[in-house]
Amino acid sequence: MAKIKFTLNNKVVEIEESPTARLLDILRDKYDFVGVKEGCGEGECGACAVLINDKIVNSCIVPLGTVEGKSIVTIEGFSKTKRHEVLRESFEEEGAVQCGFCTPGMLIASESLLNTNPHPTDEEIKIGLSGNLCRCTGYNMIIKAVKSASKKGDGLW
Amino acid sequence: MEIFNYFKAQTIEEAYKKLNENPSNLIIGGGAWLRLSSKVVETAIDLIQIGLSQIVETESSFEIGASVTLREVEKNESLANLYSSIVNNGVHGIMGVALRNLVTVGGSIFGKYSFSDLITPLLAMNTEVEMYKGGRMPLEDFLKLRTREKDILLKIIIQKEEGLGYYYKMKKTGLDFAVINVAVTKLNSKFKIVVGARPSLATFAVKAMEYVNNQSKITPEVIEETAKIAVEELKFGTNSKASEEYRTELAQVYIRRGLKEVTNNEN
Ligand SMILES: Cc1cc2nc3c(=O)[nH]c(=O)nc-3n(C[C@H](O)[C@H](O)[C@H](O)COP(=O)(O)OP(=O)(O)OC[C@H]3O[C@@H](n4cnc5c(N)ncnc54)[C@H](O)[C@@H]3O)c2cc1C
Ligand code: FES
Ligand code: FES
């Protein structure tokens, strides 16, 4: 067990836990942030994506110890922003959500992409979302949604 | 994996001392690979505060710190000038951005993963590894070191050579490990050929390189013969991804393509 201190959705938190615990389990079980999903549990599907120091990371392969001093944003934290609102609306309008299981991860991936590249091409969107799997939509609507958010939210990213 | 203590070293000396305090102590990079293992670790030592998180460009080389992530390597535009961007392209093919933001150069090199999409292109370039105790050595020698003495990888050093390069990772699905990977480079008329995921660790096709580097003209016949020599000298094996025969065939094809590409691009 070790004391680990980090910022979680803009709040400083400290937890006494095994440094090997998966960040995903801590976020879901200890902080109740269940918008962070577990798909594969092996770093392959992106359902568990969160932002660590503004960069997208799969929380299922992050040992808790490595987040000491870092800032983590989950979909719950991100959902309080204007950028999320724009993305959410675009996802809704383009039909980019079906069962919705991949959606929190897709939104985090879109945020991470638009943060570094506010006007991505289709190809850049495909690369940006390449670690996020969706079993329902066939991806085209998601790509359209990110494009549309990039236009509508011009200046936000 | 089970870790009992997590130690953030402030200096490299402190990290090394801690590493040797207990046989199970080890360095943790991104921890992504370690997490999959069943190791029981007394203390995991994190290097993040030591300042090995930079890519430093000098007049003659790039020095990439152990804590640099593969995403940072991928996005580095100056590195992309070396050998037709094979290092950037190699790491680009590893899973998604969310994994590449986490995993480190130190963990990727020290782990000596046979499927590595970083080691194969680096070997075909001019790369050295700098260890805290073991000092600086060519990547090739580091990969051959048998005894894994407890040491810390500080950085890798890539010489600035603007040769031509080819890298190909054959994989069955977008996010999979390599079935085989091949790097071919050319600098001042000298070729290097590296094959990884055979399924064992990447290595040079020494005889094939000797043959092709002694030819005065690179004809289609020379390319054919070089690829043939390479697959005859290299050992391939069978695992759940592919058979020995299939890997041998694939390697021959990609070596040929690589040689053609670096030869044609010159004209
Ligand atoms: C799901 C998944 C898929 C992957 N797919 C691919 C792929 O297709 N291609 C590919 O090339 N790679 C792939 N990888 C491997 C990945 O790219 C990294 O190479 C790997 O995760 C190790 O990096 P890390 O930072 O996680 O290291 P860690 O897991 O932290 O460490 C790995 C090993 O290196 C040691 N170590 C770490 N840093 C140092 C140091 N500075 N000095 C001494 N020892 C050190 C550790 O003690 C440990 O033994 C994949 C990994 C995962 C988890
Ligand atoms: S659950 Fe983490 S990547 Fe699939
Ligand atoms: S909407 Fe169902 S997995 Fe993407």
Side-chain angles (χ1 to χ4, degrees):
Chain A
M1 292 298 232
K3 274 200 177 140
I4 295 145
K5 196 170 170 182
F6 54 100
T7 305
L8 180 55
N9 292 334
N10 295 321
K11 253 205 216 143
V12 177
V13 296
E14 191 173 58
I15 188 168
E16 183 141 6
E17 256 298 339
S18 158
T20 350
R22 295 192 308 173
L23 176 61
L24 169 65
D25 297 328
I26 300 299
L27 293 174
R28 289 181 59 89
D29 302 341
K30 304 284 176 190
Y31 293 102
D32 222 13
F33 287 136
V34 292
V36 191
K37 304 293 180 204
E38 175 161 14
C40 64
E42 290 181 358
E44 289 187 17
C45 73
C48 63
V50 297
L51 298 171
I52 300 188
N53 289 354
D54 296 326
K55 290 184 180 155
I56 184 173
V57 169
N58 292 329
S59 63
C60 70
I61 50 170
V62 176
L64 181 65
T66 61
V67 307
E68 166 81 35
K70 295 186 178 163
S71 168
I72 299 172
V73 176
T74 68
I75 188 67
E76 288 85 354
F78 178 51
S79 69
K80 300 199 169 73
T81 64
K82 177 77 187 153
R83 297 194 303 278
H84 176 273
E85 195 181 311
V86 173
L87 269 168
R88 195 198 68 218
E89 280 172 15
S90 302
F91 268 60
E92 285 168 2
E93 282 161 17
E94 297 296 341
V97 182
Q98 288 188 20
C99 79
F101 195 79
C102 69
T103 310
M106 285 292 180
L107 290 172
I108 292 284
S110 308
E111 158 75 354
S112 168
L113 167 69
L114 293 172
N115 258 335
T116 50
N117 181 359
H119 303 288
T121 60
D122 282 11
E123 197 50 37
E124 287 165 340
I125 297 173
K126 283 184 195 167
I127 292 170
L129 305 185
S130 62
N132 292 70
L133 303 184
C134 173
R135 306 314 299 252
C136 307
T137 62
Y139 301 101
N140 288 339
M141 295 88 129
I142 297 178
I143 294 164
K144 272 193 193 157
V146 176
K147 264 223 141 138
S148 143
S150 141
K151 247 191 231 149
K152 279 195 206 151
D154 200 15
L156 286 175
W157 282 283
Chain B
M1 179 184 66
E2 197 169 350
I3 300 179
F4 295 114
N5 300 294
Y6 198 85
F7 180 70
K8 287 215 164 186
Q10 301 300 316
T11 63
I12 193 70
E13 293 77 18
E14 200 180 63
Y16 185 73
K17 191 163 165 259
K18 188 58 104 183
L19 184 62
N20 284 289
E21 274 176 14
N22 185 299
S24 75
N25 288 3
L26 47 70
I27 304 291
I28 185 163
W33 198 259
L34 269 179
R35 213 196 58 73
L36 301 175
S37 81
S38 52
K39 286 183 183 164
V40 177
V41 177
E42 175 64 29
T43 304
I45 303 147
D46 189 327
L47 305 177
I48 203 71
Q49 281 166 2
I50 292 181
L52 302 172
S53 312
Q54 324 261 317
I55 301 182
V56 178
E57 185 172 353
T58 71
E59 211 162 278
S60 60
S61 66
F62 290 94
E63 302 192 352
I64 309 181
S67 307
V68 169
T69 67
L70 294 193
R71 178 67 172 166
E72 288 163 338
V73 170
E74 176 191 0
K75 297 301 281 180
N76 191 292
E77 287 176 10
S78 307
L79 272 175
N81 292 325
L82 311 183
Y83 290 103
S84 326
S85 318
I86 54 173
V87 166
N88 307 62
N89 294 343
V91 295
H92 175 73
I94 300 173
M95 298 290 292
V97 177
L99 184 103
R100 302 198 293 274
N101 269 335
L102 179 68
V103 298
T104 61
V105 167
S108 300
I109 301 289
F110 194 86
K112 298 186 184 177
Y113 306 111
S114 57
F115 52 76
S116 177
D117 297 302
L118 177 62
I119 290 177
T120 301
L122 282 181
L123 200 53
M125 298 164 73
N126 186 346
T127 310
E128 289 172 301
V129 172
E130 188 169 321
M131 304 299 292
Y132 176 60
K133 278 289 157 192
R136 208 156 145 164
M137 67 191 92
L139 174 61
E140 185 188 6
D141 295 353
F142 173 75
L143 295 177
K144 283 185 187 152
L145 281 183
R146 287 267 171 81
T147 48
R148 276 211 189 171
E149 267 188 37
K150 284 213 160 187
D151 205 346
I152 301 174
L153 193 151
L154 299 179
K155 60 183 168 192
I156 60 169
I157 304 106
I158 309 177
Q159 291 308 314
K160 270 191 191 167
E161 296 173 343
E162 295 186 7
L164 295 168
Y166 165 94
Y167 178 71
Y168 193 80
K169 169 188 191 179
M170 159 70 193
K171 52 186 174 181
K172 290 186 174 168
T173 62
L175 302 182
D176 206 356
F177 292 100
V179 168
I180 195 123
N181 61 31
V182 173
V184 179
T185 56
K186 185 176 181 209
L187 179 74
N188 303 330
S189 307
K190 291 287 174 223
F191 293 86
K192 286 185 187 172
I193 303 166
V194 178
V195 184
R198 298 171 294 116
S200 44
L201 188 57
T203 187
F204 286 113
V206 179
K207 287 184 189 159
M209 280 160 50
E210 203 178 294
Y211 168 78
V212 69
N213 288 331
N214 277 317
Q215 304 302 313
S216 51
K217 197 159 184 277
I218 308 302
T219 61
E221 293 72 32
V222 167
I223 288 177
E224 188 80 32
E225 183 61 17
T226 307
K228 218 171 119 209
I229 297 172
V231 297
E232 274 167 14
E233 69 174 300
L234 294 175
K235 260 201 190 138
F236 295 91
T238 298
N239 66 3
S240 60
K241 293 220 176 296
S243 66
E244 180 186 340
E245 292 77 8
Y246 186 45
R247 282 201 164 89
T248 310
E249 285 300 319
L250 289 175
Q252 195 162 344
V253 170
Y254 295 123
I255 292 169
R256 264 198 317 255
R257 286 187 192 170
L259 288 166
K260 262 186 216 157
E261 190 164 311
V262 296
T263 307
N264 292 342
N265 282 349
E266 196 184 37
N267 302 327

